[in-house]
Amino acid sequence: MECPGAGRAQDDGGSAVSDAEARTPAQIEADIKLRRVRLAETLDEIGVRVHPKTVIGDAKAKAASQVDQTLGRAYVRVNRVVTDVRGRFVGEDGRPRLERIVPVALVVVGVVGVLTISTRRGKN
């Protein structure tokens, strides 16, 4: 009975190769050097990713992006409200709609008057 993998050798990468494909020591050394270089590059990349300055920079960038998105949404909402309010008090031709402005102005004057009177009474 023959063992599984008999007549095969293992390369340093773990894959089985046949005896006919056996590598020379120079090839193995070249592969080891190449893998060391790749490993060093990977470790350098990991080092940069986990460096505190990088982590802080990434967090700042993410926070700034969130703020930009929030401010952008707020701007759009405010712009929409202003446009809606303006549309209620200004006609399509650009002239003010007095039938809507006068009642609002009277309410504002009334509220200011009531607040002024109540403030003066509170001081006396």
Side-chain angles (χ1 to χ4, degrees):
M1 186 169 173
E2 190 174 320
C3 289
R8 296 180 169 239
Q10 289 281 338
D11 72 359
D12 58 333
S15 63
V17 293
S18 67
D19 289 337
E21 295 174 3
R23 300 177 317 153
T24 65
Q27 290 172 326
I28 294 172
E29 286 179 24
D31 278 349
I32 291 172
K33 287 180 184 178
L34 179 63
R35 289 177 189 221
R36 281 185 182 156
V37 168
R38 288 181 182 163
L39 179 61
E41 290 171 354
T42 302
L43 290 174
D44 288 344
E45 184 178 334
I46 291 170
V48 169
R49 286 183 183 181
V50 299
H51 192 278
K53 286 184 179 180
T54 303
V55 173
I56 291 170
D58 289 347
K60 284 181 181 179
K62 186 174 181 179
S65 173
Q66 293 284 338
V67 168
D68 286 347
Q69 288 177 356
T70 302
L71 289 176
R73 284 189 215 116
Y75 175 79
V76 168
R77 287 183 188 136
V78 167
N79 193 26
R80 193 174 297 145
V81 168
V82 168
T83 302
D84 184 46
V85 169
R86 184 169 187 244
R88 292 174 191 244
F89 294 104
V90 177
E92 291 179 12
D93 58 356
R95 290 198 272 162
R97 292 182 172 178
L98 294 179
E99 71 277 4
R100 291 188 179 176
I101 294 174
V102 171
V104 172
L106 291 174
V107 169
V108 170
V109 169
V111 169
V112 169
V114 169
L115 290 175
T116 303
I117 291 172
S118 67
T119 303
R120 288 185 182 174
R121 286 187 182 173
K123 290 182 180 179
N124 292 332

